[in-house]
């Protein structure tokens, strides 16, 4: 048995998962031992440049909480006697002027190593978790909406054809005062250029906490797929509720309730431009890709 830990430092929330991998004869079982999600919302400092925050820095209050959280994560990793771990920081940390400084502080104070990864690396890691959901001879547009960025990946016959990261996400849409019209237009043109008619019918794949919640609220139970029209109607249903109603009636976390409609718009427009009639929601994320990467790395060591 081996124990693995994945840390996903996103723009809205930060996650730690500890998993044990048990191999018995020809069967490999992944068992979740610990999962922590903390809604620190680093992107709120980084994406909103105002008079109070004239530079793209993670402010003192969030920096202090971030260091406390990393200390807690290191303690859990040590307590569970983890064999391998990987910590990846995405959009907010890579855009923050003091992102690298915070990563260095975490290493110096707690001995916890973190990597600030770019959009391409983020998509590559997530790709590991997605491959088992792709079918032969089909075309998929993978849409991963985070707090600060959206990663698009086009797969044809289980092969990634092209990918791109766009600086638009749920927290960025909520907090930025700058127009994102140019980013929307670039995303539209990218999809229309690369999702070619000869690829045939396109199925979207949605990853990210917001599309997972849209799927749950849609009432679907079994095949992990919902139609384009159902995504729109569920988004509209959520939007018809006040913030307080989303938290009390729909049982959304506060840090989900205020961004879910912003995120849903990105999925809707990407699907519309790709002419995707349905979206597969496999409920996997960056942490799952990290876990797969660590397992493969460990297998190479063993053999």
């Amino acid at each position: 048995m081996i124990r693995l830990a994945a840390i996903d430092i996103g723009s809205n929330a930060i996650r730690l998962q500890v998993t044990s991998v048990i191999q018995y004869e020809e069967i490999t079982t992944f068992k979740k031992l610990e999962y922590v999600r903390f809604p620190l919302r680093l992107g709120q400092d980084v994406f909103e440049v105002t008079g109070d925050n004239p530079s793209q820095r993670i402010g003192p209050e969030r920096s202090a909480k971030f260091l406390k959280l990393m200390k807690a994560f290191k303690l859990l990793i040590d307590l569970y006697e983890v064999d391998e771990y990987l910590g990846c920081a995405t959009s907010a940390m890579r855009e923050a002027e003091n992102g690298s400084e915070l990563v260095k502080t975490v290493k110096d104070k707690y001995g916890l190593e973190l990597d600030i990864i770019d959009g391409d690396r983020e998509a590559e890691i997530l790709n590991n978790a997605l491959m088992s959901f792709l079918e032969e001879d089909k075309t998929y547009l993978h849409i991963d909406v985070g707090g600060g960025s959206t990663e698009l990946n086009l797969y044809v016959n289980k092969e990634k054809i092209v990918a791109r990261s766009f600086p638009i996400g749920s927290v960025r849409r909520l907090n930025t005062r700058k127009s994102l019209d140019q980013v929307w237009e670039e995303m539209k043109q990218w999809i229309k250029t690369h999702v070619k008619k000869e690829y045939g019918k396109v199925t979207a794949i949605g990853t990210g906490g917001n599309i997972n919640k849209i799927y749950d609220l849609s009432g679907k139970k079994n095949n992990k797929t919902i139609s384009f029209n159902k995504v729109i109607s569920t988004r509209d249903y959520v939007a018809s509720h006040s913030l307080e109603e989303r938290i009390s009636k729909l049982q959304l976390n506060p840090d989900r309730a205020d961004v879910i409609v912003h995120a849903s718009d990105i999925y809707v427009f990407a699907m519309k431009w790709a002419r995707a009639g349905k979206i597969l929601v496999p409920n996997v994320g960056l942490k799952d890709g990290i876990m797969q990467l660590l397992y493969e790395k460990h297998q190479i060591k063993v053999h």
Side-chain angles (χ1 to χ4, degrees):
M1 182 181 74
I2 59 170
R3 288 178 178 170
L4 308 173
I7 301 172
D8 171 8
I9 301 169
S11 301
N12 191 36
I14 299 176
R15 300 168 176 84
L16 166 71
Q17 182 167 315
V18 180
T19 298
S20 68
V21 184
I22 303 163
Q23 291 177 296
Y24 178 72
E25 295 180 347
E26 299 298 315
I27 300 171
T28 302
T29 304
F30 290 78
K31 180 174 177 56
K32 187 192 299 181
L33 299 176
E34 185 73 64
Y35 177 69
V36 179
R37 178 188 183 274
F38 190 85
L40 189 53
R41 191 164 282 184
L42 298 175
Q44 189 163 329
D45 285 351
V46 179
F47 304 142
E48 184 175 17
V49 179
T50 65
D52 297 329
N53 183 35
S55 59
Q56 289 180 296
R57 293 181 64 82
I58 296 168
E61 185 179 342
R62 280 193 175 81
S63 291
K65 285 186 176 181
F66 175 73
L67 293 177
K68 285 182 181 178
L69 188 60
M70 291 305 102
K71 181 181 180 181
F73 282 7
K74 182 61 164 63
L75 287 171
L76 283 170
I77 285 170
D78 290 346
L79 284 168
Y80 277 106
E81 299 179 344
V82 166
D83 297 288
E84 300 270 0
Y85 76 88
L86 178 62
C88 293
T90 57
S91 184
M93 286 287 277
R94 65 179 173 246
E95 291 186 32
E97 289 184 2
N98 56 339
S100 297
E101 177 187 323
L102 280 171
V103 165
K104 184 178 185 304
T105 301
V106 169
K107 183 178 180 181
D108 293 344
K109 289 187 75 168
Y110 312 125
L112 185 68
E113 295 197 28
L114 305 171
D115 294 334
I116 298 176
I117 60 174
D118 61 22
D120 291 339
R121 179 61 174 156
E122 187 177 348
E124 182 184 321
I125 293 172
L126 190 49
N127 176 66
N128 285 343
L130 282 181
M131 290 308 293
S132 63
F133 295 95
L134 305 185
E135 296 182 27
E136 301 280 356
D137 301 319
K138 288 196 174 181
T139 300
Y140 298 91
L141 177 66
H142 173 216
I143 310 161
D144 179 55
V145 179
S149 65
T150 294
E151 271 59 57
L152 297 180
N153 304 276
L154 182 64
Y155 295 89
V156 180
N157 197 22
K158 298 194 78 167
E159 180 184 350
K160 187 188 289 188
I161 302 298
V162 66
R164 184 168 165 187
S165 178
F166 292 88
I168 189 169
S170 59
V171 178
R172 194 188 297 271
R173 290 196 69 211
L174 178 70
N175 288 114
T176 189
R177 298 185 185 185
K178 297 186 298 182
S179 171
L180 295 170
D181 289 350
Q182 185 177 343
V183 182
W184 279 116
E185 184 60 28
E186 286 176 3
M187 184 186 293
K188 177 181 179 179
Q189 293 308 319
W190 187 91
I191 292 173
K192 286 183 171 292
T193 298
H194 293 287
V195 182
K196 300 174 182 177
K197 287 184 178 179
E198 55 260 38
Y199 292 149
K201 187 181 293 185
V202 177
T203 298
I205 302 179
T207 53
N210 289 293
I211 194 65
N212 293 340
K213 187 55 64 176
I214 287 290
Y215 179 85
D216 291 343
L217 291 170
S218 75
K220 295 282 284 187
K221 299 295 182 188
N222 297 317
N223 68 356
K224 297 182 183 297
T225 302
I226 52 176
S227 70
F228 175 66
N229 290 335
K230 191 66 175 178
V231 174
I232 292 175
S233 64
T234 306
R235 178 202 61 182
D236 292 347
Y237 172 71
V238 175
S240 70
H241 291 75
S242 67
L243 183 62
E244 292 75 16
E245 287 172 335
R246 294 177 199 177
I247 295 168
S248 60
K249 182 181 176 183
L250 303 185
Q251 296 290 293
L252 300 183
N253 290 332
D255 66 303
R256 179 79 64 215
D258 61 350
V259 296
I260 187 169
V261 175
H262 292 292
S264 299
D265 288 341
I266 302 174
Y267 293 106
V268 166
F269 281 111
M271 290 179 72
K272 177 183 176 182
W273 296 328
R275 301 181 302 279
K278 60 184 179 181
I279 186 167
L280 172 67
V281 186
N283 196 17
V284 297
L286 186 66
K287 62 180 173 51
D288 303 285
I290 292 172
M291 209 62 76
Q292 185 66 30
L293 195 70
L294 289 171
Y295 175 67
E296 291 170 2
K297 179 182 174 184
H298 184 82
Q299 290 297 96
I300 291 170
K301 278 185 179 181
V302 171
H303 296 104

